[in-house]
Amino acid sequence: MSGSTPELPVVVLDALTPTAQRLVINRRGSTVWEVDSPRGRYAVKLGYPIEATPDWPAQPWTALAPAREGAVLHRLGFDEIAYGEWERGTWNFQPWHEGPDLYRLWEPCRRPDSVVEPHTSVALGCVKALAELHAKGWAHGDVQPAHFIIGPERTHLIDLALARGGQVPEGYDFPFRGCLVHYEAPEIARMVLATGQAEPTPEADVYALGASLLISATGWRAVEYPDDAPRPVQREAVASGRRRSVKVPGDLGALIDAMLSHAPGDRPTIYEVGKALS
Ligand SMILES: Nc1ncnc2c1ncn2[C@@H]1O[C@H](COP(=O)(O)OP(=O)(O)OP(=O)(O)O)[C@@H](O)[C@H]1O
Ligand SMILES: [Mg+2]
């Protein structure tokens, strides 16, 4: 079935009775739609296993990710969400958050000779969204620019499929195997290299937010490695902390540097970051 787009499962059609739908992403293991329904606008996510290719091992856990995220959202006290199983994996739906993500919003800052500076208020919105999660005792585990949706009222932190902090149903749980290497803290990269697994932490989230702000404002990754380097080589570079010298100008730059500290204990907490920006 690889190559073709799956369809919305019947249970989802029954629950939402869509009046319009737009495919947002359809890539290996995951399909997301924006769906209009009489109940409001929703993001619908479908997960299915990634089969092995000559370049990739099989990744059966992608099938479980939407249900795991649904369970996490329930745990965090969000209603208006639902999740369940379909033939090839699991699905969830959740309220659609309107707005550009951090990377898109700061695109003008990245243009050559740009005079547009990254807005502190935008950074603060991202900090508040992450602080809310940490205050509830959870770590996100997959903080990246695309996961901050900058809405008119507030910023939302999406994709909680890898979050850790409370019970999730055993049948939908799976180990954390790291995140996108650009945003991976050195201690996480080191653990993943050594054991294949790690544990999301608030300190690693703070590093990931620092790396997200840096790349969104400047276009540069926090750590230097060749674009086409294999994943383990990228992780080696992150683990050894080969920081790029690129900096965001001003106070925000100094704060991002602190967030990207090599040792987790040297990083500010998300509340300290918030205080520094307020
Ligand atoms: N609740 C939501 N509101 C608005 N947009 C959403 C929402 N959920 C998902 N999206 C959109 O769909 C994209 C993919 O969603 P998400 O990151 O949750 O899926 P994923 O399969 O985990 O993708 P990735 O592998 O990139 O993390 C997001 O980057 C965003 O553009
Ligand atoms: Mg995602």
Side-chain angles (χ1 to χ4, degrees):
M1 166 144 149
S2 52
S4 67
T5 307
E7 288 178 2
L8 288 171
V10 172
V11 268
V12 175
L13 293 175
D14 284 346
L16 293 180
T17 56
T19 52
Q21 63 185 69
R22 179 178 74 87
L23 185 66
V24 180
I25 61 154
N26 179 40
R27 56 179 163 233
R28 294 154 31 92
S30 171
T31 306
V32 179
W33 292 266
E34 176 186 354
V35 170
D36 281 337
S37 95
R39 293 170 57 174
R41 186 167 286 173
Y42 289 86
V44 179
K45 299 196 204 177
L46 219 56
Y48 39 95
I50 297 179
E51 273 137 42
T53 72
D55 302 323
W56 295 86
Q59 292 174 69
W61 61 270
T62 50
L64 301 176
R68 190 179 189 285
E69 180 184 35
V72 170
L73 289 169
H74 258 166
R75 275 259 151 192
L76 289 168
F78 294 101
D79 40 19
E80 285 297 292
I81 70 129
Y83 60 95
E85 298 179 12
W86 65 297
E87 304 93 88
R88 302 188 59 217
T90 67
W91 55 268
N92 78 42
F93 65 74
Q94 57 185 282
W96 178 264
H97 303 300
E98 219 55 66
D101 66 40
L102 176 64
Y103 193 73
R104 207 178 92 203
L105 187 69
W106 277 3
E107 192 274 328
C109 308
R110 299 192 298 274
R111 289 185 198 150
D113 306 319
S114 170
V115 290
V116 183
E117 288 209 0
H119 254 274
T120 306
S121 63
V122 173
L124 187 57
C126 298
V127 170
K128 281 183 177 160
L130 184 56
E132 229 169 72
L133 187 67
H134 286 183
K136 290 176 177 168
W138 286 75
H140 187 280
D142 195 11
V143 168
Q144 51 173 283
H147 289 165
F148 291 100
I149 308 289
I150 322 295
E153 308 285 333
R154 54 156 298 163
T155 293
H156 295 272
L157 177 52
I158 62 163
D159 197 356
L160 289 140
L162 304 181
R164 286 289 185 290
Q167 280 288 316
V168 292
E170 215 178 297
Y172 295 143
D173 207 4
F174 50 86
F176 177 67
R177 295 186 181 84
C179 57
L180 274 184
V181 182
H182 304 345
Y183 312 106
E184 206 165 80
E187 68 277 13
I188 301 279
R190 208 171 303 124
M191 272 299 276
V192 171
L193 282 171
T195 68
Q197 297 181 16
E199 203 53 48
T201 63
E203 291 84 357
D205 281 350
V206 166
Y207 178 98
L209 178 56
S212 298
L213 293 168
L214 183 73
I215 208 166
S216 300
T218 68
W220 291 96
R221 295 191 294 258
V223 174
E224 192 154 0
Y225 45 78
D227 281 333
D228 55 356
R231 195 90 53 98
V233 175
Q234 297 185 358
R235 285 210 160 94
E236 292 286 357
V238 171
S240 66
R242 245 172 278 143
R243 266 281 274 129
R244 265 212 171 94
S245 58
V246 61
K247 224 179 141 91
V248 173
D251 293 345
L252 188 56
L255 194 58
I256 291 172
D257 277 348
M259 295 167 80
L260 289 170
S261 295
H262 191 74
D266 290 344
R267 293 173 208 146
T269 65
I270 198 65
Y271 315 110
E272 288 166 342
V273 175
K275 218 180 268 170
L277 282 177
S278 300

